[in-house]
Amino acid sequence: MEKIVVMKFGGTSVGNVEKIKKVASRVIEKKHLGYNVVVVVSAPGDTTDDLIEKAFLISKNPDTRELDRLLSTGEQISISLLSMAIKEMGEKAISLTGAQVGIRTIGSHTKAKIKDISSEKIVKELNLGNIVIVAGFQGVDEKDDVTTLGRGGSDLTATALASVLKASECEIYTDVDGIYTTDPRLVKSAKKINKISYDEILEMASLGSQVMQARSIEVAKKNNIVIHVRSTFSKENGTFILEEDKEMENVLVSGVAFDKNQVKVSIFDLIDEPGVAAKIFEALASNDINIDMIVQSTANNGKNNISFTIDKTELNNLLNIIDKLKTKINIGTLKYDENVAKVSIIGVGMRSHTGVASKMFKILADNSINIHLISTSEIRISCVIDKDKLDIAVNAIHQGFNLDK
Ligand code: ASP
Ligand code: MG
């Protein structure tokens, strides 16, 4: 079989009829280059958000099976319209839902995981000369119920398909021309990155940068699929995401990420004895609350303080859980602060270079920015700071690490 390419188009790329026609001709061009083309599309524009809003107007707590059924329809609008557009231009195409392709999932509704994909149906359609258009973000579970793969899940559909089909390319088409050293809306001098490692992108995704869905990168990394993030409306190369190489290690910092949707939570006067932290974080984990940046101070007078950050959307949930926990263990006082933001630097070069953290702290200090919390990984340093200082911080760090050069 000729080479297979997977082309994924995000919601903004199929936001209206004109754009769908542009995507159609882009896809046909690829086919004429001699590729077998598999296309994955997201729901048009804000369709998914609109559907979620409607569901919540009907119920405060919509049935998740029905919610998945509803959300999966957004992508189905895109596949059928795109297929029609391609046929109108004289090429052969067929649209398929996740279920039709045989994307089997496990796990709960609205955040299902892909268990396996049979390539049979797609390969058969490709052999018939079709451009195969697959609805992103969805699959079907062991009960044959439609499931969705979490927000941004079309990326996962794309990299998972590229993996099973052993595609030679996985292209992620979007409305920007690649991945930038930081958000160009905040920093004018942000630069497009030519290539970046899976690990760096994974850190960026988990830090709230709207790059690509994190799980989609994990799948690509595991199967060594090179991802090309590029613009739907330009022929220029975008950003390649691939295994790290020597050249990347020579760069100290590849990007500055930030997250304005964090809340800092502090629990004061916890008894300093084994199992207290375990109880708190077990309770949070079993309720699917994602914790970040845990800091525990050294005990003083037999009491401890623990601070951590969570996503703003989880705050109410967290407060309820802690309230219940109060009846079981002695929790002192809980305080939270919503006027914070997280700024992070990411770079595989940190593995082999020293002084990166101190330089970041110095830049913040030089700008009179106070640091509330610090956390690090092998290739990332994050600081929680006051939200109203975020713009200054991101700009200063970006410049301080020469990312504008
Ligand atoms: N339409 C879904 C969402 O908005 C999936 C995607 O766009 O990747 O999250
Ligand atoms: Mg999306």
Side-chain angles (χ1 to χ4, degrees):
M1 195 173 199
E2 295 144 48
K3 282 201 273 189
I4 299 179
V5 58
V6 173
M7 305 170 83
K8 182 254 170 181
F9 293 88
T12 46
S13 302
V14 291
N16 60 40
V17 169
E18 279 323 302
K19 287 181 177 174
I20 290 174
K21 287 182 183 167
K22 283 218 175 82
V23 168
S25 44
R26 189 102 208 215
V27 167
I28 290 173
E29 251 168 57
K30 201 73 170 193
K31 167 96 184 168
H32 289 172
L33 287 174
Y35 287 95
N36 279 302
V37 183
V38 176
V39 183
V40 174
V41 271
S42 292
D46 296 327
T47 308
T48 310
D49 287 327
D50 295 345
L51 292 172
I52 291 175
E53 204 183 304
K54 280 208 181 89
F56 278 86
L57 285 176
I58 289 188
S59 160
K60 279 210 180 70
N61 196 6
D63 182 277
T64 54
R65 178 190 182 273
E66 304 309 330
L67 191 59
D68 268 355
R69 158 72 66 207
L70 178 71
L71 297 189
S72 67
T73 62
E75 273 64 16
Q76 296 175 21
I77 298 172
S78 303
I79 55 170
S80 31
L81 290 176
L82 180 58
S83 185
M84 288 175 202
I86 292 173
K87 287 180 196 216
E88 197 57 36
M89 294 176 185
E91 266 297 333
K92 289 172 75 179
I94 182 167
S95 69
L96 300 169
T97 65
Q100 284 177 301
V101 170
I103 299 181
R104 311 297 310 193
T105 67
I106 46 165
S108 33
H109 279 290
T110 74
K111 44 187 164 203
K113 297 192 165 67
I114 295 180
K115 186 166 142 255
D116 57 50
I117 302 177
S118 59
S119 53
E120 215 176 300
K121 173 84 175 161
I122 294 184
V123 170
K124 188 181 135 218
E125 295 298 342
L126 289 174
N127 283 336
L128 291 171
N130 280 311
I131 292 169
V132 178
I133 305 161
V134 180
F137 177 55
Q138 59 192 271
V140 57
D141 68 11
E142 65 281 356
K143 289 191 282 185
D144 279 341
D145 282 333
V146 175
T147 53
T148 62
L149 307 173
R151 295 307 304 267
S154 298
D155 289 338
L156 178 60
T157 306
T159 57
L161 279 176
S163 302
V164 283
L165 294 167
K166 303 198 167 47
S168 57
E169 287 171 39
C170 180
E171 297 182 312
I172 305 289
Y173 286 87
T174 172
D175 54 347
V176 291
D177 57 0
I179 293 164
Y180 277 70
T181 48
T182 193
D183 189 338
R185 283 169 300 186
L186 200 75
V187 180
K188 293 248 148 41
S189 58
K191 289 265 176 314
K192 188 175 87 186
I193 300 171
N194 292 326
K195 59 176 185 176
I196 190 163
S197 68
Y198 297 117
D199 288 344
E200 287 167 311
I201 290 293
L202 274 171
E203 290 281 6
M204 289 184 187
S206 69
L207 290 167
S209 291
Q210 301 281 308
V211 187
M212 274 179 74
Q213 195 214 33
R215 267 158 57 207
S216 70
I217 310 284
E218 281 160 12
V219 167
K221 179 181 170 177
K222 205 169 121 207
N223 298 287
N224 222 334
I225 298 290
V226 175
I227 299 171
H228 185 185
V229 179
R230 59 191 308 188
S231 165
T232 307
F233 311 106
S234 134
K235 293 278 150 75
E236 298 267 309
N237 272 350
T239 303
F240 289 90
I241 308 174
L242 64 179
E243 207 45 73
E244 88 185 61
D245 59 27
K246 272 272 160 293
E247 216 180 308
M248 294 179 189
E249 280 166 38
N250 292 334
V251 183
L252 275 191
V253 170
S254 324
V256 184
F258 56 87
D259 188 346
K260 298 182 198 172
N261 294 312
Q262 295 275 302
V263 185
K264 183 179 82 168
V265 180
S266 305
I267 307 179
F268 297 97
D269 298 329
L270 282 161
I271 303 175
D272 184 35
E273 62 182 29
V276 173
K279 277 190 194 112
I280 295 176
F281 291 107
E282 252 163 40
L284 301 179
S286 61
N287 285 282
D288 269 342
I289 295 194
N290 256 316
I291 306 289
D292 192 27
M293 305 188 82
I294 306 173
V295 175
Q296 174 177 297
S297 56
T298 326
N300 186 18
N301 294 330
K303 297 280 173 72
N304 258 332
N305 302 332
I306 293 182
S307 295
F308 51 88
T309 57
I310 56 167
D311 200 81
K312 208 172 239 157
T313 53
E314 320 246 48
L315 182 61
N316 278 333
N317 204 355
L318 172 114
L319 295 176
N320 287 332
I321 295 163
I322 297 288
D323 259 347
K324 277 190 208 132
L325 212 58
K326 270 186 182 156
T327 58
K328 290 186 208 141
I329 58 171
N330 191 352
I331 293 174
T333 18
L334 181 145
K335 284 189 185 158
Y336 62 88
D337 184 355
E338 295 183 86
N339 295 315
V340 295
K342 181 165 68 177
V343 55
S344 310
I345 52 176
I346 298 109
V348 286
M350 283 182 214
R351 287 197 183 115
S352 46
H353 295 84
T354 54
V356 181
S358 57
K359 183 165 177 180
M360 178 180 190
F361 303 154
K362 175 90 172 37
I363 294 170
L364 292 175
D366 288 346
N367 287 277
S368 312
I369 297 171
N370 191 28
I371 303 172
H372 296 271
L373 299 174
I374 299 168
S375 81
T376 61
S377 82
E378 217 189 345
I379 62 164
R380 167 183 61 84
I381 302 160
S382 302
C383 296
V384 169
I385 59 171
D386 285 340
K387 192 182 271 178
D388 59 8
K389 295 280 171 59
L390 183 70
D391 282 24
I392 302 172
V394 175
N395 274 284
I397 293 168
H398 192 264
Q399 195 184 9
F401 282 99
N402 294 324
L403 291 174
D404 48 354
K405 298 285 146 59

